[in-house]
Structure formats: structure tokens, C-alpha cells
């Protein structure tokens, strides 16, 4: 089946068809804990290519998985399907209406790239996720992304005006306001409306009332339950059914977005707390002042930031005069708008409020936007700072964005901290205190099996966290979607009746279960070992490294986060495998900002030539999942365009040093296969120079004889397209 599909895609489309094991392996993971090998990967050049791929997949019975930047943290973009990667070619802004503040964009367009184009109009798309440098608009719609300023601007669903898409049967549809729908779209709207009316009592009884509820499908568009309605005027927009559907109902062709004016002024107040509980309890009072963001950074994150030379002066500025006694938490409280005087008054009101709450002198005022920007960069790096922990135990994403009403936030975080302690671990807290959604990842080693292993602890913690979410009337999935880690909790959250209603929506739009199967509807268990990237019993192939990787060959204590001595981690590759595994797949290397990482990706836009793609290739090879092992041609192809610039070592939040890894590979491959003729020629160039000066006519034949350059290119160290300097008789050197 896959061979026929690959051949037909190559013949009938202009896209790139990637069905080899290494390419499939590079798309088998995202930023989650899961790994599922896809059937193949298709990189379309045009919208017609996508339509053809859908038709061919349907004919061959192959599931489809639309994918953006591959930064999902719950496993949404992993699956045994044909992965369609729109990020290379389908990434354009088709229209901006500055007066109406709307834009029409491709699904593969990166958020920051859109906002860079909108800046000239004084506009932005305000769903400002921390991964905005690599997150695509299509992926954000699929997850119903939120961001730091959702208290002011809402979630993705509140900022999407319409979605043009293809259904599984190939139909092109335009989802938007129900009053302007076409015949096919109106039929779908009527079906969903009837379901919503039939289950209205259950929706009102079981649907979470917090704004940060992103689980399941938005069946409540006809009877909104959120504290922030879907639309300002109470109208119904069918596009909101697709937002958060994780590619299970339709394949996005284009998105129509609501933009917002860029705030002219911003001020920031950094509130320092001697108690984490007090910080959480204060959030409900701070939001009454009308901030555009209230973000948490806890003690662990503060300490980690202070160990980073780039972040230390920034975080210490936020601590003000309190450097001698580090606070247990800080809240970043932002006020923004058109009137700087008003924002400064709001900042003053924050100072007064904290004094009223018994915390006089706790606010560090930051009216200067340059200082604010630097501190926001530290906050945005929160996940990556946390993921820099060495050892097999890692902060694991599975309950990290449960949302609870602000009145219960302090009690919820206290209770969940106790849950972690009972299971011999702890979590680092950060993110969206303004809306009761805090990111937290307990440190677990999923490679440990048995009743006390990481997977067993993950299950136990998830069940206890779910009970807390229910006690405090919150939402189990509050930002990053369902995917594989939270899909099984949808039925628990909504009840059997509503779960069956969601299944009916899937059946109506995708009766053949073609689109991203196993997500939202009939998902697997979150701890299914066959789906884990590092399951119990995970092994690497023995290898004696040429370089010293012992600094990574350590284990860690999940409570103190202290690591053992270098070389004591039990890695049979001397630490090389653990160094490779520092890549957490967050995709930061896909960015195009002022940093260096990654030059080869910036030219090719290929996952193969990305730091993440290379790390995944090395990981697969070191774990015996690629034929030929570490010195294989697949690894050679992935590392070939690495220029050794060390940009990844500096820019990668977890310090992946691909340049050194390439040197390790070359040493291992040379030891196994010997030097190539090309390598030997380069090494002997100083010796060959005198001969070239005596026989210039011989060395110039490459560029004189027709076809000689092409014949020589496999062995001669020069591109067939280049013209080396002509040799002349005379002295060498």
C-alpha cells in the first residue's frame, strides 16, 4: 500500500515524497513523549498537491495527518499515517485588510513571520504563544492555542473568523458564520446544532466553565459555556468547530484571522512573593486591575535562570533589592494599551493592591520596554530552561496545563504538589496565572518499568490530578490540546453521552476515520508503552566514543534535581546517547530570528537538515532503529550540510552540540569504513600542489572536457557547478 501511494504521489504531484526509514523516523515524534512511525511524509508545493494527496490517501485507505511545526506536546502530530508537512511551501500571507483588521493565511505560516509582516500596519495576531518563532497558524488552530495574553485577547478560537478546508471525501468547504454558509456547510451546522440541542442539559452540567478548556470538539458553540463567549455578539461561527479538532475533522487550506492593534505602550510590574501559595492566591485579585498578562515564574525557574549567564542579569533586575533572599515565586503583571498615563496608573494600582494584601514593597516597576522584553524572553524560555536537566529522568508533559478557576488556584497547586511528593518527585511551575492554567511537569524516568517505574507513576499522578480538577471544577486540558496524553480523559471530563456526541461529529465529517485517527475519538491509553519514545526497556547500541561525553553520562534526583558524577549514568555509549537525547523536539531550531541556528535549515527548510531532525536521526541510529547503525548512510546524509558553526550549542535551549556530534560520527564512520577517496584527496592537496604546477593541462581537463566535471564530482572535492581556478605552470604555493 505505502509503495503504491509513494509512486502515485511522485507521479501525480509536484511535492516531495519521503518514504525512507530515516525521513519517516524524523516525523515519528513531536515535542511529546510519544513516537509512532508514519506511513510516509509528503511535502506539498501547492494546494492542488494537498487535494491530490487526500484523494490518493482515500483511494489507498491510508490515514492522513496534517502537521505544522511538529511542536505539539501531547502527541497530536504523531501517527501511523501519511504526514502532510505544509511548512516548507504553504506559508504565505494572501491578504491583509488593515481597515477591517483581518488576514488570510496559509496553514504553514509561522506566527512570528505573520506578525513581522503585520507590524507595518500597526497590527498583530495576539495569540502570542511562547513558541511563536516556530509555531504555525495551522497547528495553533488545530490545538486551539492560547498564549500569555489570553486574558486580554482570548484563545485561538476567539480570533479565527473562518477556515477553508478539505473534508476527508475531498470536498472543499468554507467554514464561517452560520448565516453565510454554503449548502454542504449548512448541513454540517444543522447536524451539530441538533446534537447540541439534544445534549444541552449535559453540556450545561458537565462542560467546564473556564475559558481555558480546549478538550474535545467545540460542541458548545450553540450554547457557549465559557466565561468568554466564542463571539462578542453571540453569533455562531462554524469555523470554531474545527479549532481544537487536531486535524481529525478536516484538512486546513487557509485561515481567516481577526487581528488586533499593536499596543502602543506597555508597563510591567514584577511582584515578588516569599510564599508560592500567596502568589497563587493573589492572582484572583490582580486580574481585577485589567492586566493584559499575569505570568508565573517559580523559585526553581528563578534559580535555573540565575545559573545561565545570559539570563542572570535580567532575572536579578526583576528581583530588585531582594538578591540576598530569592523569592519563592514572581508574577509578571503587564498592562498595555494606547494611553501610557493610564498604564502607569494601573501599575501604581498594582503597588497599592499588593500593599493592601500585606506585601508592601514587593513590586519591581518596569516602565521601560527594553527591560520588559528581556524579562519576557526569560519567561518564554521557561520550558526550555526546565528541560535542560541531564539524566534519564525528564520533566514529563501530561498534566501540565490543567485549568481551574482562580479562586481555587492556590489550593489546587498545593494539593498537586503533595501528589508529586507522594510519588517521589516534584514539578516546576510557570506560565498563565491570569487564567488559572499553570504549566507543571513532574520529573519521571519513563524507561523504568514495573509498579514503581515512570510510566506507572505517570498514570497514578494523572488520576489524582484528574480528581483535583473535578473537585475544583476545572478543565483537564487547558491549552495544549488532547493528543495521546489527554485523549483518554475526554470521556471522563464530559461523560459518556457527550463523548458519544463528539464521536457522532467525527462520524458525520469523516466516516472512514481517515483524518488523524486515534486523536480525540477512541484514543489509546496515555501510558501505552508501545507509543512511548523511551519505553521501559529502551536500549542503545554499545559504542566507544572518540570524544569525551561523560558530562552527559549522569543520572538525576527527581526531587533535588542534583545529578551524579560525570560518567556514572550507565550509558553504554559513554554519554553520547544521552547528549543526543537532550533534544526535546520543541523545534526552537526552526526559528528565523537574529540567532545563528540553524543555517542549513534556513536554506533548505528540510527537517533532515534541522538540528532537531539530525538529533532524531542520531537517536534512531544509536537505539538500533535505523539500518546500518550510527555510521550509516542515513546519518551521513542528515549531517552532510552541517557546517559546524556551533550555532546550536549556543542557541539551542538544551545545548545540543551538533557540530561535535558530527565529528563523533565522522570518527566512527572512518573507523568502520576507512577514509573516502574524496577525503584522501583533500588531505593530500598540499602534496598535490607541486604536481599541479608542473602538469596544469592535466588538472584543468575537468573543466575542458564535456561531462568530465559530472563524472568527477563523486570523488573530486568540488561541486559540478563550481569552476575551480585554472592551474598555470609555475611554482606551487
Amino acid at each position: 500500500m505505502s509503495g503504491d501511494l509513494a509512486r502515485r504521489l511522485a507521479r501525480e504531484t509536484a511535492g516531495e515524497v519521503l518514504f525512507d526509514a530515516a525521513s519517516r523516523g524524523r516525523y515519528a515524534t513531536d515535542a511529546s513523549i510519544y513516537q509512532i512511525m508514519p506511513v510516509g511524509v509528503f511535502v506539498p508545493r501547492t494546494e492542488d498537491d494537498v487535494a491530490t494527496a487526500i484523494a490518493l490517501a482515500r483511494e489507498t485507505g491510508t490515514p492522513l495527518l496534517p502537521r505544522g511545526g511538529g511542536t505539539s506536546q501531547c502527541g497530536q502530530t504523531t501517527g501511523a499515517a501519511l504526514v502532510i508537512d505544509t511548512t516548507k511551501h504553504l506559508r504565505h500571507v494572501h491578504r491583509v485588510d488593515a481597515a477591517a483588521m483581518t488576514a488570510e493565511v496559509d496553514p504553514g505560516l509561522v506566527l512570528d513571520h505573520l506578525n513581522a509582516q503585520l507590524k507595518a500596519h500597526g497590527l498583530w495576531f495576539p495569540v502570542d504563544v511562547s513558541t511563536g518563532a516556530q509555531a504555525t497558524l495551522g497547528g495553533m488552530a488545530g490545538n486551539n492555542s492560547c498564549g500569555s495574553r489570553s486574558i486580554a485577547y482570548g484563545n485561538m478560537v476567539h480570533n479565527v473568523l473562518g477556515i477553508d478546508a478539505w473534508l476527508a471525501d475531498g470536498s472543499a468547504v468554507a467554514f464561517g458564520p452560520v448565516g453565510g454558509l454554503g449548502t454542504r456547510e449548512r448541513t454540517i451546522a444543522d447536524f451539530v446544532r441538533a446534537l447540541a440541542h439534544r445534549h444541552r442539559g449535559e453540556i450545561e452540567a458537565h462542560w467546564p466553565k473556564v475559558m481555558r478548556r480546549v478538550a474535545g470538539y467545540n460542541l458548545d458553540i450553540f450554547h457557549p459555556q465559557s466565561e468568554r463567549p466564542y463571539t462578542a455578539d453571540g453569533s455562531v461561527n462554524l469555523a470554531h468547530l474545527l479549532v481544537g479538532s487536531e486535524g481529525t475533522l478536516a484538512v486546513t487550506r487557509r485561515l481567516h484571522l481577526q487581528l488586533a492593534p499593536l499596543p502602543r505602550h506597555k508597563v510591567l510590574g514584577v511582584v515578588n512573593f516569599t510564599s508560592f501559595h500567596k502568589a497563587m492566591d493573589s492572582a484572583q485579585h490582580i486580574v481585577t486591575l485589567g492586566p493584559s498578562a499575569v505570568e508565573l515564574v517559580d523559585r526553581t525557574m528563578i534559580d535555573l535562570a540565575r545559573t545561565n549567564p545570559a539570563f542572570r542579569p535580567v532575572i536579578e533586575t526583576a528581583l530588585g533589592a531582594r538578591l540576598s533572599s530569592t523569592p519563592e515565586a514572581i508574577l509578571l503583571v503587564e498592562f498595555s494599551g494606547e494611553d501610557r498615563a493610564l498604564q502607569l496608573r494601573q501599575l501604581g494600582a498594582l503597588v497599592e493592591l499588593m500593599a493592601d494584601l500585606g506585601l508592601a514593597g514587593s513590586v519591581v516597576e518596569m516602565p521601560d520596554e527594553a527591560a520588559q522584553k528581556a524579562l519576557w524572553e526569560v519567561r518564554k524560555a521557561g520550558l526550555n530552561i526546565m528541560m535542560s536537566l541531564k539524566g534519564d529522568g525528564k520533566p514529563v508533559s501530561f498534566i501540565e496545563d490543567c485549568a481551574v478557576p482562580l479562586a481555587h488556584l492556590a489550593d489546587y497547586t498545593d494539593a498537586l504538589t503533595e501528589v508529586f511528593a507522594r510519588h517521589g518527585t516534584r514539578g516546576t511551575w510557570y506560565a498563565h496565572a491570569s487564567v488559572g492554567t499553570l504549566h507543571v511537569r513532574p520529573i519521571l524516568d519513563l524507561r523504568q518499568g514495573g509498579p514503581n517505574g515512570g510510566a506507572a507513576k505517570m498514570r497514578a499522578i494523572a488520576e489524582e490530578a484528574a480528581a483535583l480538577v473535578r473537585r475544583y471544577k476545572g478543565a483537564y486540558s487547558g491549552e495544549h490540546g488532547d493528543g495521546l496524553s489527554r485523549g483518554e480523559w475526554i470521556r471522563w471530563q464530559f461523560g459518556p453521552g457527550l463523548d458519544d456526541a463528539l464521536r457522532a461529529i467525527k462520524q458525520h465529517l469523516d466516516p472512514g476515520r481517515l483524518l488523524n485517527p486515534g486523536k480525540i475519538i477512541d484514543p489509546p491509553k496515555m501510558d501505552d508503552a508501545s507509543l512511548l519514545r523511551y519505553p521501559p526497556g529502551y536500549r542503545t547500541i554499545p559504542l566507544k566514543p572518540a570524544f569525551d561525553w561523560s558530562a552527559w553520562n549522569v543520572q538525576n534526583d527527581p526531587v533535588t534535581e542534583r545529578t551524579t558524577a560525570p560518567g556514572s549514568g550507565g550509558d553504554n555509549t559513554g554519554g553520547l546517547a544521552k547528549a543526543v537525547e537532550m533534544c526535546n523536539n520543541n523545534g526552537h531550531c526552526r526559528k528565523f530570528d537574529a540567532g545563528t541556528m540553524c543555517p542549513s535549515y534556513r536554506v533548505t527548510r528540510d527537517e533532515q537538515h534541522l538540528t532537531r531532525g539530525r538529533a532524531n536521526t542520531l537517536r534512531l541510529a544509536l537505539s538500533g532503529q535505523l539500518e546500518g547503525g550510527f555510521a550509516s548512510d542515513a546519518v551521513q546524509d542528515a549531517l552532510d550540510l552541517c557546517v559546524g558553526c556551533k550555532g546550536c550549542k549556543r542557541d539551542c535551549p538544551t545545548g545540543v552540540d551538533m557540530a561535535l556530534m558530527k565529528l563523533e560520527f565522522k570518527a566512527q564512520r572512518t573507523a568502520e569504513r576507512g577514509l573516502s577517496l574524496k577525503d584522501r584527496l583533500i588531505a593530500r592537496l598540499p602534496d598535490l600542489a607541486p604536481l599541479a604546477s608542473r602538469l596544469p593541462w592535466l588538472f584543468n581537463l575537468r573543466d575542458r572536457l564535456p561531462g568530465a566535471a559530472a563524472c568527477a564530482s563523486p570523488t573530486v572535492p568540488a561541486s559540478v557547478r563550481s569552476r575551480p581556478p585554472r592551474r598555470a605552470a609555475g611554482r606551487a604555493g
Side-chain angles (χ1 to χ4, degrees):
M1 178 183 71
S2 62
D4 179 56
L5 176 61
R7 286 188 292 272
R8 294 192 62 185
L9 283 169
R11 186 171 63 246
E12 299 177 32
T13 74
E16 300 169 42
V17 182
L18 309 172
F19 276 58
D20 61 283
S23 293
R24 290 165 54 226
R26 285 186 282 268
Y27 283 83
T29 58
D30 51 16
S32 72
I33 59 177
Y34 300 102
Q35 174 179 303
I36 305 175
M37 199 64 67
V39 172
V41 179
F42 180 59
V43 184
R45 293 183 181 274
T46 66
E47 292 177 348
D48 287 343
D49 284 345
V50 180
T52 300
I54 294 172
L56 294 178
R58 187 173 61 254
E59 288 178 30
T60 59
T62 306
L64 273 174
L65 201 171
R67 173 173 164 131
T71 61
S72 298
Q73 296 181 21
C74 301
Q76 293 95 317
T77 56
T78 63
L82 174 66
V83 172
I84 298 182
D85 180 357
T86 60
T87 62
K88 185 172 183 178
H89 301 293
L90 302 181
R91 51 182 176 85
H92 302 291
V93 178
H94 292 279
R95 182 183 60 85
V96 173
D97 186 332
M101 294 194 296
T102 62
E104 179 182 340
V105 304
D106 282 339
L109 179 67
V110 170
L111 172 63
D112 281 3
H113 300 176
L114 170 63
N115 280 331
Q117 295 189 47
L118 294 175
K119 189 174 183 179
H121 301 283
L123 301 170
W124 72 316
F125 187 66
V127 186
D128 61 331
V129 295
S130 62
T131 54
Q134 61 262 31
T136 65
L137 276 303
M140 291 171 62
N143 285 350
N144 192 8
S145 297
C146 304
S148 298
R149 295 173 176 86
S150 63
I151 188 174
Y153 297 99
N155 303 347
M156 191 74 183
V157 73
H158 300 105
N159 295 277
V160 171
L161 299 175
I163 296 179
D164 302 334
W166 295 277
L167 299 181
D169 64 5
S171 302
V173 291
F175 284 16
V178 291
L181 296 176
T183 302
R184 179 68 185 275
E185 296 88 342
R186 191 162 52 250
T187 300
I188 295 171
D190 290 342
F191 177 81
V192 177
R193 180 188 289 109
L195 270 178
H197 286 324
R198 192 180 316 143
H199 293 276
R200 182 164 186 172
E202 293 171 275
I203 291 174
E204 293 177 348
H206 300 297
W207 213 267
K209 304 301 186 280
V210 293
M211 181 177 69
R212 288 296 195 91
R213 187 279 315 157
V214 301
Y217 301 136
N218 294 323
L219 178 60
D220 68 326
I221 55 175
F222 291 97
H223 308 295
Q225 300 298 302
S226 170
E227 55 192 332
R228 187 186 186 112
Y230 289 103
T231 59
D233 60 3
S235 61
V236 178
N237 189 318
L238 192 61
H240 296 163
L241 179 68
L242 297 186
V243 178
S245 64
E246 301 182 357
T248 63
L249 298 180
V251 178
T252 299
R253 183 174 71 88
R254 293 188 186 179
L255 295 132
H256 302 266
L257 306 175
Q258 180 66 63
L259 310 177
L262 267 173
R264 293 184 62 189
H265 304 288
K266 296 177 183 177
V267 298
L268 188 67
V270 183
V271 189
N272 288 249
F273 294 89
T274 57
S275 157
F276 183 84
H277 180 93
K278 185 65 174 179
M280 297 299 91
D281 187 57
S282 298
Q284 61 185 313
H285 305 294
I286 292 173
V287 298
T288 63
L289 301 177
S292 51
V294 183
E295 294 287 293
L296 166 71
V297 178
D298 80 347
R299 172 63 180 269
T300 302
M301 198 73 68
I302 294 169
D303 289 341
L304 288 170
R306 293 178 81 173
T307 64
N308 185 311
F311 293 151
R312 182 182 180 91
V314 177
I315 198 70
E316 291 191 345
T317 299
L319 305 183
R322 299 163 186 80
L323 298 183
S324 59
S325 57
T326 303
E328 291 302 310
I330 59 175
L331 290 179
L332 281 57
V333 184
E334 179 190 85
F335 301 97
S336 61
E338 300 300 303
D339 186 347
R340 182 167 177 79
L342 173 60
Q343 274 83 69
L344 290 172
R345 288 197 298 274
Q346 289 176 303
L347 184 57
L350 174 66
V351 174
E352 293 177 7
L353 173 64
M354 299 319 299
D356 292 342
L357 295 175
L359 294 170
S362 63
V363 181
V364 175
E365 299 178 53
M366 285 190 177
D368 179 64
E369 292 201 17
Q372 297 172 38
K373 183 178 180 182
L375 187 55
W376 279 117
E377 289 302 315
V378 176
R379 156 59 194 95
K380 282 188 173 184
L383 171 60
N384 296 318
I385 292 173
M386 182 171 59
M387 294 301 290
S388 62
L389 180 66
K390 294 178 180 178
D392 291 344
K394 299 291 185 185
V396 177
S397 171
F398 62 103
I399 56 162
E400 75 159 11
D401 56 357
C402 300
V404 298
L406 285 181
H408 304 307
L409 186 58
D411 292 338
Y412 167 74
T413 53
D414 283 353
L416 192 54
T417 297
E418 292 175 4
V419 170
F420 295 155
R422 282 198 297 274
H423 294 283
T425 187
R426 73 182 181 109
T428 296
W429 300 87
Y430 69 103
H432 318 304
S434 59
V435 287
T437 302
L438 297 179
H439 297 328
V440 60
R441 296 185 176 196
I443 298 171
L444 301 172
D445 181 1
L446 297 182
R447 306 175 205 219
Q448 293 181 353
N452 294 316
K457 289 181 178 180
M458 180 171 69
R459 163 65 60 183
I461 291 171
E463 291 176 350
E464 293 188 54
L468 292 174
V469 169
R470 176 159 289 171
R471 181 198 305 175
Y472 295 118
K473 296 180 172 54
Y476 193 73
S477 184
E479 180 171 18
H480 295 148
D482 298 314
L484 297 170
S485 62
R486 284 192 282 272
E488 70 167 279
W489 301 95
I490 293 174
R491 193 172 183 87
W492 167 91
Q493 178 85 77
F494 298 119
L498 289 178
D499 187 47
D500 290 343
L502 301 183
R503 183 174 289 101
I505 294 174
K506 170 73 170 176
Q507 182 66 23
H508 188 75
L509 273 74
D510 180 22
R513 302 289 181 94
L514 188 73
L515 302 178
N516 204 5
K519 314 303 191 307
I520 299 181
I521 303 303
D522 299 326
K525 292 292 185 182
M526 62 175 288
D527 52 349
D528 183 341
S530 68
L531 305 179
L532 297 177
R533 195 191 317 173
Y534 300 111
Y538 178 87
R539 296 288 184 271
T540 54
I541 58 176
L543 180 147
K544 184 178 180 180
F547 292 89
D548 181 8
W549 300 94
S550 61
W552 287 268
N553 189 11
V554 298
Q555 294 297 347
N556 58 58
D557 185 305
V559 176
T560 66
E561 297 189 16
R562 285 195 288 266
T563 56
T564 60
S568 63
D571 185 351
N572 62 357
T573 69
L576 172 62
K578 292 187 187 299
V580 169
E581 292 161 10
M582 290 299 294
C583 175
N584 60 35
N585 276 14
N586 73 82
H588 192 63
C589 40
R590 295 175 66 94
K591 63 186 178 61
F592 277 74
D593 62 14
T596 303
M597 181 177 66
C598 174
S600 56
Y601 174 73
R602 294 185 184 209
V603 174
T604 66
R605 291 183 182 266
D606 291 334
E607 184 75 19
Q608 179 185 29
H609 301 300
L610 179 68
T611 305
R612 177 181 70 180
R614 290 172 175 140
N616 275 322
T617 307
L618 291 171
R619 176 181 55 81
L620 291 166
L622 287 168
S623 58
Q625 298 181 69
L626 273 186
E627 186 177 350
F630 186 67
S632 66
D633 290 341
V635 177
Q636 164 73 27
D637 293 342
L639 294 174
D640 187 40
L641 297 186
C642 172
V643 297
C645 67
K646 294 281 187 176
C648 49
K649 182 179 181 181
R650 180 174 59 254
D651 293 354
C652 174
T654 57
V656 172
D657 187 351
M658 194 54 61
L660 185 59
M661 292 174 185
K662 180 175 181 176
L663 291 176
E664 182 67 57
F665 161 77
K666 291 179 75 68
Q668 297 293 332
R669 186 175 171 96
T670 300
E672 181 177 306
R673 304 189 181 192
L675 289 169
S676 67
L677 177 58
K678 182 182 291 188
D679 290 334
R680 291 177 180 176
L681 282 173
I682 292 175
R684 295 292 305 278
L685 281 177
D687 299 329
L688 293 172
L691 181 61
S693 69
R694 291 194 296 270
L695 301 172
W697 59 269
L698 178 62
F699 285 81
N700 290 330
L701 284 178
R702 172 193 181 275
D703 299 316
R704 289 180 174 176
L705 291 180
C711 294
S713 63
T715 54
V716 176
S719 168
V720 68
R721 292 176 293 180
S722 69
R723 294 185 62 84
R726 293 185 62 186
R727 281 83 179 170
R731 293 177 61 189

